[in-house]
């Protein structure tokens, strides 16, 4: 559990400070830590109580473009898809939304679509964006922010 939390916090810090003077340092650190991050992502995907933490790690790795610059877009997409299919009790993003993470789910769905676009998989990107638009939690959150 501490291992997962350590890497979750590292990914969050990397995501929060992205587009700053330490981008290269973060990319080097994330690339070096990728075996540990994979272990944590796999652990989170295998436990319903850690699924949200896993999604957070995968989203932050996508935000830092770790998957892009590491030439591992397919792996990033795999983790997002696998972790979004995991949730407390029920599978899928709606189940995770019940745990109070609509912004995280919106970010995960958006990153999944972005990766598909980078891969040239426009049909999948369209499907992922439709999934994002069809999910009411995301639409309500976006409408509230526009007001």
């Amino acid at each position: 559990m501490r291992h997962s939390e350590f890497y979750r916090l590292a990914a969050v810090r990397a995501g929060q400070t992205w587009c700053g003077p330490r981008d290269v340092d973060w990319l080097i650190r994330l690339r070096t830590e990728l075996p540990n991050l994979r272990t944590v992502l796999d652990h989170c995907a295998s436990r319903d109580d850690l699924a949200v933490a896993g999604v957070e790690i995968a989203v932050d790795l996508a935000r830092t473009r770790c998957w892009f610059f590491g030439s591992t877009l397919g792996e990033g997409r795999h983790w997002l898809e696998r972790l979004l299919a995991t949730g407390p009790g029920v599978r899928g993003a709606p189940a995770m939304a019940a745990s109070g993470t609509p912004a995280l789910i919106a970010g995960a769905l958006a990153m999944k679509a972005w990766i598909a676009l980078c891969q040239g998989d426009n049909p999948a990107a369209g499907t992922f964006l439709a999934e994002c638009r069809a999910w009411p939690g995301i639409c309500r959150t976006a409408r509230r922010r526009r007001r």
Side-chain angles (χ1 to χ4, degrees), residues 85 127 147:
T127 300
R147 291 181 185 165

Side-chain angles (χ1 to χ4, degrees), residues 35-112:
N36 286 318
L37 288 161
R38 287 178 180 130
T39 299
V40 168
L41 288 166
D42 187 55
H43 180 67
C44 290
S46 69
R47 295 202 25 197
D48 287 349
D49 62 324
L50 294 176
V52 172
V55 170
E56 190 172 14
I57 293 167
V59 166
D60 281 316
L61 291 176
R63 280 175 65 191
T64 63
R65 308 304 188 254
C66 174
W67 306 120
F68 182 83
F69 291 118
S71 299
T72 54
L73 282 170
E75 182 178 4
R77 183 170 163 182
H78 159 78
W79 287 118
L80 287 165
E81 290 176 351
R82 183 172 171 199
L83 288 156
L84 282 170
T86 305
V90 183
R91 304 286 176 217
M96 291 185 130
S99 67
T101 59
L104 177 61
I105 300 307
L109 294 171
M111 287 300 177
K112 194 166 73 161

